[in-house]
Amino acid sequence: MNSKDFIIGKLKLIQKKHPSYFKEHNVSILDCVVIKGTDAAFITITNSGLPFDIKWMIVTLN
């Protein structure tokens, strides 16, 4: 498993922890970020409307 696969798994867990936001806005967490790289992947948040707590969880994955 490479870093990108690991990050995608963690992002999906974040989405499961906050299902109401994603259901209400009809988006997936993967629609809200860009993952660059494979072995040393890095996440960039592209949805500025994400609540702070979700952004914080994403940032701490980097």
Side-chain angles (χ1 to χ4, degrees), residues 3-59:
S3 179
K4 184 175 183 176
D5 293 335
F6 178 77
I7 287 174
I8 290 171
K10 288 293 194 173
L11 288 170
K12 288 180 179 180
L13 288 175
I14 293 170
Q15 181 171 334
K16 280 186 177 183
K17 190 171 183 177
H18 298 278
S20 59
Y21 174 83
F22 296 100
K23 197 175 233 183
E24 180 182 325
H25 292 88
N26 197 31
V27 295
S28 162
I29 195 162
L30 296 175
D31 297 331
C32 301
V33 299
V34 171
I35 303 171
K36 298 177 182 174
T38 304
D39 293 329
F42 184 79
I43 307 167
T44 302
I45 298 171
T46 58
N47 181 345
S48 61
L50 285 173
F52 177 79
D53 55 335
I54 295 174
K55 285 182 184 178
W56 181 252
M57 289 181 173
I58 294 170
V59 167

